[in-house]
Amino acid sequence: MSPDPNPKTAIFFLAFLPQFVDSGASLPVWVQLAILGTMVNLIFTFADIVTVLLADVILARLKRSSGVQALVRRAGGTILIGLGAHLALQKG
């Protein structure tokens, strides 16, 4: 999977990260920005991985529960009946 080429993300980080850069520090500004950008990407990647793994665990437990499966079937059927009734009662 390739990274999202969304320019809004790049613009956001170009506006957000400089407030954490010290122009008087021993490291050049571009190095500080590179370090901060790398850290942000690593933290976001870690958060994404944890989210996916937790979602997998939660879904596995929900799939094993017959009560949850029955609730999902009833909720899905109720939603479909409600949508059908809404369409039937629409004017025009």
Side-chain angles (χ1 to χ4, degrees):
M1 179 180 238
S2 64
D4 184 16
N6 187 348
K8 291 181 280 187
T9 304
I11 292 169
F12 169 77
F13 280 108
L14 286 174
F16 177 72
L17 290 180
Q19 67 182 325
F20 302 106
V21 172
D22 182 10
S23 60
S26 61
L27 290 174
V29 170
W30 71 270
V31 173
Q32 293 178 56
L33 284 172
I35 291 169
L36 287 171
T38 301
M39 288 174 57
V40 166
N41 277 314
L42 289 173
I43 290 168
F44 287 172
T45 300
F46 177 73
D48 289 345
I49 291 170
V50 168
T51 302
V52 168
L53 293 176
L54 285 176
D56 184 51
V57 169
I58 291 169
L59 284 175
R61 287 186 183 183
L62 291 176
K63 285 180 182 178
R64 281 185 264 144
S65 170
S66 60
V68 171
Q69 289 179 5
L71 178 65
V72 169
R73 276 195 303 274
R74 278 189 234 121
T78 302
I79 289 171
L80 289 174
I81 290 170
L83 289 171
H86 175 72
L87 285 173
L89 298 173
Q90 266 186 336
K91 295 181 182 177

